[in-house]
Amino acid sequence: MNNDIIIRGLLADSTVKVMAISGKTLVAEAKRIHGLSRVCTAALGRALLMTSMMGAQLKNADERVTTMLKGGGEAGNIICTADWTGRVKGYLENPTVELPPAPNGKLDVALAVGWFGDLTVVRDMGLKEPYVGTCPIESGEIAEDFARYYTISEQQPSLVYLGVRVNAETGEVLAASGLVAQPLPGCPDEVIDTLTEKAKAIETLTATLEGGVSLKDALMSLFADMDFKITANQYPAFRCDCSRERLERVLISIGEEELADMIQTEHGAELTCHFCNTKYQFDEADLTRLLNEAKGN
């Protein structure tokens, strides 16, 4: 049963916008599809939660947002893409790598992600050129890096929290959540101070959800003194939109020469979608048909 939800709202007389996600099911689906280790479940899970929330802020059905964490860590690069419904897909390069716990006893997401590269956000708004924003990864903890991205690349100071709780023995996803709070222009300093004071309480959100509290009730409690008003609900999911037709277009795009060589030497091709691990088989007849299409016949 999928109880995942994104809740959007306003705080403090509409001076702060807030978005929160409960995403246990979508993170568990990513773990199943990719065979993720415990630390990779936490790392990819956090990135998926964040990307899903960023996708839910898009305005139109043909828009997409892609996030890329290239930090040089043990898990390799992390790529996620979401649409305006919050449906999200993603993968990391080394899904089974496992690491010892961090000094604080928690999963060492920072070491898995690394902090020797960049966080890049690509917003494809259906225009000629997508919007691309980049900032250096500073911690590898993902939430801190996205908060820094918002400040540096979008000039939007933001409080960002992301959490994935995993059973230490079985690797089962117990709970997953995220929250982004952004003061709007003209937000009073005292409201920002109140929000900052809540940072520690916000960090307990995933544990609260694990205890059986709904996201709505958790937010109502968390922001009881800040006039929290819900403005929209959305229902995210881990979902890949790959298809045989899309991969046919990829094969055509590699060019006549490479297609002809593939027919001659391999007599077929097998393509695997990075996002969902679905395998697509193309035999010699399929490739010949695509070669003829590439030639315009």
Side-chain angles (χ1 to χ4, degrees):
M1 185 176 176
N2 185 1
N3 293 316
D4 291 354
I5 189 170
I6 292 173
I7 295 177
R8 301 170 69 174
L10 295 167
L11 300 175
D13 200 24
S14 302
T15 59
V16 178
K17 64 178 180 179
V18 63
M19 174 177 284
I21 184 171
S22 174
K24 174 184 173 181
T25 302
L26 75 84
V27 175
E29 180 67 358
K31 179 190 185 310
R32 182 190 69 79
I33 286 172
H34 294 296
L36 301 172
S37 68
R38 292 185 296 275
V39 73
C40 287
T41 300
L44 180 58
R46 291 182 192 181
L48 288 167
L49 293 167
M50 188 68 230
T51 309
S52 178
M53 287 191 287
M54 294 178 89
Q57 293 178 306
L58 298 172
K59 304 297 184 188
N60 300 303
D62 60 345
E63 297 177 9
R64 296 289 184 275
V65 61
T66 297
T67 64
M68 295 177 279
L69 287 148
K70 299 183 177 182
E74 298 287 336
N77 297 337
I78 302 175
I79 315 292
C80 299
T81 299
D83 66 15
W84 72 328
T85 69
R87 285 185 302 224
V88 65
K89 60 185 180 180
Y91 71 95
L92 41 69
E93 290 181 317
N94 303 316
T96 59
V97 69
E98 193 61 275
L99 299 171
N104 62 7
K106 296 182 179 180
L107 293 168
D108 201 342
V109 171
L111 191 60
V113 175
W115 48 89
F116 302 106
D118 294 321
L119 163 59
T120 300
V121 176
V122 181
R123 285 190 174 89
D124 185 349
M125 318 292 271
L127 305 173
K128 191 172 182 181
E129 296 291 334
Y131 166 81
V132 181
T134 301
C135 79
I137 293 174
E138 197 164 66
S139 75
E141 290 286 351
I142 301 182
E144 295 170 17
D145 296 307
F146 272 100
R148 191 162 182 264
Y149 164 81
Y150 275 121
T151 300
I152 292 174
S153 293
E154 301 196 2
Q155 291 77 53
Q156 173 66 73
S158 305
L159 188 157
V160 180
Y161 163 77
L162 301 165
V164 176
R165 290 178 68 85
V166 176
N167 184 297
E169 300 289 324
T170 65
E172 176 193 1
V173 179
L174 303 174
S177 72
L179 184 146
V180 179
Q182 298 174 321
L184 296 169
C187 179
D189 289 343
E190 57 267 28
V191 172
I192 295 174
D193 291 342
T194 301
L195 192 61
T196 303
E197 288 166 9
K198 289 186 179 291
K200 287 293 180 189
I202 289 170
E203 289 177 6
T204 67
L205 180 59
T206 307
T208 300
L209 298 187
E210 185 187 349
V213 178
S214 72
L215 180 62
K216 178 183 176 182
D217 288 346
L219 294 174
M220 288 296 185
S221 174
L222 193 57
F223 299 119
D225 59 342
M226 293 190 75
D227 185 31
F228 177 55
K229 293 186 176 68
I230 294 174
T231 57
N233 293 334
Q234 287 162 280
Y235 300 95
F238 186 101
R239 189 169 302 166
C240 186
D241 54 356
C242 71
S243 66
R244 187 175 181 86
E245 292 72 22
R246 182 171 292 187
L247 289 179
E248 284 184 354
R249 292 197 295 271
V250 171
L251 285 168
I252 289 171
S253 72
I254 68 174
E256 297 174 29
E257 194 174 322
E258 271 200 61
L259 265 176
D261 184 64
M262 215 180 275
I263 293 167
Q264 206 165 29
T265 58
E266 305 294 333
H267 307 290
E270 179 183 271
L271 301 186
T272 302
C273 174
H274 286 304
F275 290 104
C276 66
N277 289 333
T278 301
K279 289 180 166 53
Y280 294 88
Q281 304 287 342
F282 297 88
D283 60 22
E284 194 167 343
D286 293 325
L287 296 183
T288 301
R289 174 175 57 82
L290 295 174
L291 177 59
N292 287 330
E293 285 188 36
K295 290 177 176 177
N297 296 334

